[in-house]
Amino acid sequence: MTCDRLVCANCAGPVSEGRCPVCRANRARLQQQQNPFAAVSPATLVALLAAMIAVLVVARHAFA
């Protein structure tokens, strides 16, 4: 969730602007809850998956 469209009940301003202490606190709380994998591109995820599969295949072949 982003704070782009949230409106503060305290000052009636956008939370993303941080006009009052309530806005700033909620904006900070939302930023802490963001998913750490949200910034990872799909290409990076595919590359990581391919690398994991390659390691598993090599490990299976080495111990078989």
Side-chain angles (χ1 to χ4, degrees):
M1 175 186 272
T2 62
C3 57
D4 294 338
R5 297 184 183 184
L6 295 178
V7 177
C8 178
N10 191 40
C11 69
V15 172
S16 60
E17 291 180 7
R19 294 181 184 176
C20 71
V22 175
C23 292
R24 289 188 289 274
N26 283 326
R27 184 176 59 187
R29 183 180 54 84
L30 286 171
Q31 288 175 350
Q32 289 175 352
Q33 291 178 351
Q34 287 182 350
N35 186 1
F37 298 109
V40 178
S41 70
T44 304
L45 291 175
V46 170
L48 287 172
L49 181 63
M52 288 174 54
I53 290 172
V55 168
L56 288 173
V57 167
V58 168
R60 185 174 181 199
H61 183 48
F63 294 114

